[in-house]
Amino acid sequence: MVKVIQGKEGDLFQCEVCGLKYASREMGERCEAWCTEHKSCNLDIIKSAVQEDIPPTL
Ligand SMILES: [Zn+2]
């Protein structure tokens, strides 16, 4: 199940497998379904991830 968390701009939906967050539940569920099945990330999906928590040094 995607985890709903409170983001600065509203609710975010977090993939519990890889930890990436999305602005829409649909994208979060797509990511989690992919991650669960493939044990890896899909670039087409993760490019839609919200990156607010990534430190600027990365
Ligand atoms: Zn994921």
Side-chain angles (χ1 to χ4, degrees), residues 31-49:
C31 183
E32 189 162 281
W34 182 277
C35 291
T36 300
E37 189 176 339
H38 298 271
K39 309 282 188 228
S40 70
C41 285
N42 180 331
L43 267 183
D44 280 341
I45 296 175
I46 65 175
K47 72 185 180 189
S48 301

Side-chain angles (χ1 to χ4, degrees), residues 14-22 27-36 40-42 45-46:
Q14 183 176 36
C15 168
E16 292 202 296
V17 180
C18 69
L20 288 175
K21 304 181 196 75
Y22 297 88
M27 287 308 299
E29 287 179 347
R30 279 182 64 188
C31 183
E32 189 162 281
W34 182 277
C35 291
T36 300
S40 70
C41 285
N42 180 331
I45 296 175
I46 65 175

Side-chain angles (χ1 to χ4, degrees), residues 5-12 21 50-54:
I5 53 176
Q6 306 294 317
K8 297 186 200 88
E9 320 259 318
D11 287 350
L12 294 174
K21 304 181 196 75
V50 176
Q51 305 197 349
E52 65 177 17
D53 290 342
I54 295 178

